[in-house]
Amino acid sequence: MRILVGFAAGGPNDILARLIGQWLSERLGHPFVIENRPGAGSNIATEAVIRAAPDGYTLLLVGTPNAINATLYDKLEFSFVRDITPVAGLIRGALVMVVHPSVPAKTLPEFIAYVKANPGKLFYGSGGVGGITHISAELFKQEAGLDIVHVPYRGIAPALTDLLGGQVQVLFTNIAILIGYIGTGKLRALGITTATRLDALPDIPTVGEFVPGYEASSIFGLGAPKNTPTDIIDKLNKEVNVALADPQFKTRLAHLDGTALVGSSANFGKLVADETEKWGRVIRLANIKPE
């Protein structure tokens, strides 16, 4: 049995797939092989799963890029929501909005006021056009009515390097790579992108506390080819939810800065559809095109 991942080995997508693959292998008595097929923002892996036999032996690690790509790429050979059957949610991950210490704002309201007084003078970095670190910032700009210039990088590491050096002033990204810099004062955290605060940064408010309706997160789950039998989907969903309730498994997820997405396959399908619609609006309004 295979779980296809649309990104290279070693990253959070790959690690999560291996965690759930090992769990399912032990529970179901079938070996699960993780296949990394990076490229085109996960579209290559997605299309391979769509073309696979609907027998439960080929699964896709579904993520926010799938919801984004539905609008970002206007000539896809498939419709993700139509051609992938949701199996189960896995985790929801938060991003943290950080600024360089040279930015005088100490709080999010102060930051918003500062940017409005200095339109077009601040720069935010991202890990690339159309990624979650890009469109989460674009959503913030749209909801708060701000003019901040986007500087895309080939990956989040060089964006973080330039943020630390002051070449860009703002970044939205995962807490894991930021927590040390926040603790030492090299970066200042202003907001959490999810609807609730993070246990790791309990004093940092959510962006939505000051920008009503704002929410952005990375979601992950499993999908299967269209027409996969319901009994197979239900069995896989049950085993995933058992994993999400297991204390040891939940501890492993915490290391990925994620909270469990417990629920039915229909629950996960609705979440993916809602995310696809939300990010579609952001992409169209900002006129974002793939590189």
Side-chain angles (χ1 to χ4, degrees):
M1 302 183 77
R2 304 179 299 159
I3 300 177
L4 271 64
V5 181
F7 298 91
N13 297 268
D14 178 66
I15 294 170
L16 180 59
R18 293 180 189 280
L19 283 176
I20 194 61
Q22 180 182 2
W23 174 273
L24 292 174
S25 178
E26 293 170 355
R27 295 280 298 186
L28 299 176
H30 291 283
F32 275 74
V33 176
I34 308 305
E35 289 190 14
N36 299 93
R37 296 197 185 183
S42 80
N43 287 331
I44 292 174
T46 300
E47 188 163 3
V49 174
I50 287 171
R51 295 179 182 278
D55 54 11
Y57 280 82
T58 304
L59 303 176
L60 175 71
L61 184 75
V62 174
T64 298
N66 296 115
I68 295 170
N69 291 347
T71 304
L72 183 65
Y73 293 87
D74 58 6
K75 294 183 179 180
L76 290 177
E77 298 295 325
F78 59 86
S79 165
F80 181 76
V81 171
R82 181 195 66 205
D83 296 329
I84 288 289
T85 298
V87 173
L90 287 170
I91 64 173
R92 180 191 295 275
L95 305 180
V96 182
M97 175 189 174
V98 291
V99 297
H100 188 267
S102 62
V103 176
K106 300 295 191 294
T107 66
L108 196 57
E110 289 178 0
F111 177 83
I112 292 172
Y114 179 75
V115 175
K116 287 187 174 180
N118 297 274
K121 294 184 179 179
L122 265 67
F123 298 84
Y124 80 89
S126 79
V129 172
I132 187 64
T133 59
H134 175 200
I135 63 171
S136 58
E138 282 297 323
L139 177 62
F140 172 66
K141 285 174 55 179
Q142 292 173 11
E143 296 291 330
L146 303 180
D147 180 7
I148 313 173
V149 181
H150 178 217
V151 182
Y153 292 82
R154 293 192 178 277
I156 203 65
L160 178 59
T161 297
D162 273 9
L163 176 68
L164 291 166
Q167 284 81 19
V168 294
Q169 293 77 43
V170 189
L171 188 68
F172 285 67
T173 193
N174 306 88
I175 184 176
I177 66 172
L178 298 175
I179 193 73
Y181 299 112
I182 294 170
T184 58
K186 292 182 178 180
L187 296 174
R188 184 183 305 127
L190 295 185
I192 307 300
T193 64
T194 43
T196 57
R197 297 191 183 197
L198 292 179
D199 291 339
L201 295 169
D203 296 329
I204 305 302
T206 67
V207 175
E209 290 176 41
F210 303 104
V211 183
Y214 180 91
E215 192 279 336
S217 54
S218 296
I219 62 166
F220 295 93
L222 292 177
K226 182 175 65 175
N227 297 325
T228 298
T230 302
D231 59 331
I232 293 175
I233 298 296
D234 291 344
K235 185 173 185 178
L236 289 168
N237 178 270
K238 177 183 176 181
E239 295 301 340
V240 169
N241 280 295
V242 170
L244 298 180
D246 180 78
Q248 185 175 4
F249 195 87
K250 288 171 72 175
T251 298
R252 292 179 176 179
L253 292 182
H255 292 312
L256 293 173
D257 304 312
T259 56
L261 276 176
V262 179
S264 67
S265 58
N267 293 149
F268 183 54
K270 184 179 185 307
L271 176 60
V272 171
D274 290 346
E275 291 288 288
T276 300
E277 182 180 352
K278 177 174 76 175
W279 294 127
R281 289 195 301 269
V282 174
I283 290 166
R284 287 189 292 269
L285 184 58
N287 195 30
I288 299 171
K289 303 294 182 183
E291 290 182 309

